[in-house]
Amino acid sequence: MKLTMNRIMQGEDEVIIRYRDMNEQIEAIAQLVQGREQKIQGFLEDQILLLRPEEVLYLESVDGTAFAYLKDQVCRVRMSLWEAVLRYGGRGFFRCSKSMVINIYRIDHLRSEPGGRIRAYMENGEQVMISRKYAKSLRQILKGGAGEDGEQE
Amino acid sequence: MESRNKFREKFLDYLRVEISIEYKSCLYFACILAFYFVYLLIQKTYSASILYMFEMVMAAYVMSYIQVYLFSDTDGIDRPGMKGGLGIAVCTCLYGICSFGLGWFDKKPLATILFSGYLLFCYLCAYLLNRVKRALDTEHLNRMLSEFKERAGTEEEEELW
């Protein structure tokens, strides 16, 4: 891929992508420019992993430490659940209980439970129970509206 | 602040249970009343006893409390299980004893047996209707989930192109 860069003295910084066919590389560049390619830093033993938000199925807080659950691994993250929802709420991160945040896009299917609760079956087979309080908010998000104030935070 | 929130949550939980008992009592009172009216109509009696109706509504409340607090609320569970089944059996028997003891159906054994059977049927219907309601809700939720995923996919594509 040819790279051409021009320095400008006036006006806003601009990136123009000229492509023949849209492919993953072009898509990744576009996402990077749009600032959507924010990665989550995960710690797995002595390794540092850079996770795409889409890779995370859900986050769980255990004794004040947040863990990110991926399809087949679990790693520690230096981010509070509140912060995760704030940063990645637009990318499907949803607070489903006091100690959990799930990625709506990684839900395989949902099941209505007694008492207004919802059981979410994640893509890795795990089941997450969404309490009545948060279920209302989830329904609103799925319908296309934002969650109720305070509940999504 | 946290203790106030906990109190609020506990209060809301309590309120939720009380509302479900209220709903349950009204539902079963309506069922008992329907049976009572049919019983009277069969005998060509066109007036009902207010006292009996008061006893019926009180019995419905007591049974709902017994069922929810001592056993489990079968209207809102997936499978009644041992405890739920026992709750239904006990409450049906208690309703039968009440109707016979208080003379709602002129202390006729056949009417009491039919009444108990009818209430058992009502419990079954309420349980099945709740299950159907949840199955429909599940379908609706999954449809919304697929639409949400599709919508997000389309928005992302539009942004890119």
Side-chain angles (χ1 to χ4, degrees), chain A residues 19 22 27 30-31 34 36 98 104-105 107-114 118 132-133 139 141-144, chain B residues 6 9 16 76-78 133-135 137-138 140-142 144-145 147-149 151-153 156 159-161:
Chain A
Y19 64 93
M22 177 59 81
E27 225 170 273
Q31 284 182 346
Q34 286 168 330
R36 298 191 305 169
K98 273 184 185 169
I104 301 177
Y105 294 108
I107 296 174
D108 186 56
H109 64 280
L110 295 165
R111 193 179 158 188
S112 175
E113 289 286 325
I118 296 172
R132 188 189 176 86
K133 182 183 163 190
R139 282 175 196 273
I141 290 171
L142 293 181
K143 267 184 200 163
Chain B
K6 269 187 185 170
E9 267 175 38
R16 191 175 56 77
I77 54 175
D78 258 351
K133 193 180 114 192
R134 282 199 301 278
D137 188 39
T138 297
H140 178 62
L141 275 171
N142 285 309
M144 284 200 299
L145 179 68
E147 281 170 7
F148 177 83
K149 286 180 179 175
R151 206 163 46 231
E156 210 162 282
E159 269 180 44
L160 277 173
W161 296 90

Side-chain angles (χ1 to χ4, degrees), chain B residues 88-145:
Chain B
I88 290 177
V90 168
C91 288
T92 307
C93 288
L94 285 175
Y95 270 125
I97 292 167
C98 277
S99 74
F100 192 79
L102 298 167
W104 296 347
F105 309 111
D106 307 316
K107 300 205 176 193
K108 287 178 185 165
L110 181 66
T112 307
I113 291 167
L114 282 175
F115 175 65
S116 303
Y118 165 75
L119 275 176
L120 203 62
F121 177 71
C122 289
Y123 275 122
L124 188 74
C125 284
Y127 164 70
L128 289 175
L129 281 174
N130 276 300
R131 271 194 74 157
V132 170
K133 193 180 114 192
R134 282 199 301 278
L136 291 173
D137 188 39
T138 297
E139 211 181 294
H140 178 62
L141 275 171
N142 285 309
R143 202 172 40 240
M144 284 200 299
L145 179 68

Side-chain angles (χ1 to χ4, degrees), chain A residues 56-61 67-70 81 92-104 106-114 116-132 134-135 138, chain B residues 141-142 145:
Chain A
V56 178
L57 271 73
Y58 60 93
L59 295 164
E60 189 177 20
S61 173
F67 293 91
Y69 288 75
L70 315 177
L81 297 185
F93 278 41
F94 167 74
R95 186 80 180 250
C96 68
S97 72
K98 273 184 185 169
S99 59
M100 267 185 140
V101 166
I102 54 169
N103 185 347
I104 301 177
R106 305 305 299 268
I107 296 174
D108 186 56
H109 64 280
L110 295 165
R111 193 179 158 188
S112 175
E113 289 286 325
R117 293 171 303 164
I118 296 172
R119 191 186 293 271
Y121 292 81
M122 306 307 293
E123 282 176 6
N124 63 348
E126 288 280 341
Q127 297 177 21
V128 178
M129 187 60 89
I130 303 167
S131 70
R132 188 189 176 86
Y134 295 97
L138 177 65
Chain B
L141 275 171
N142 285 309
L145 179 68

Side-chain angles (χ1 to χ4, degrees), chain B residues 2 4 11 19 30 39 46 55 57 59 61 80 84 94 110 122 125 128 151 156 160:
Chain B
E2 204 173 303
R4 195 198 276 178
F11 177 72
I19 290 168
Y39 172 79
Y46 302 109
E55 286 170 0
V57 76
Y61 270 105
L94 285 175
L110 181 66
C122 289
C125 284
L128 289 175
R151 206 163 46 231
E156 210 162 282
L160 277 173

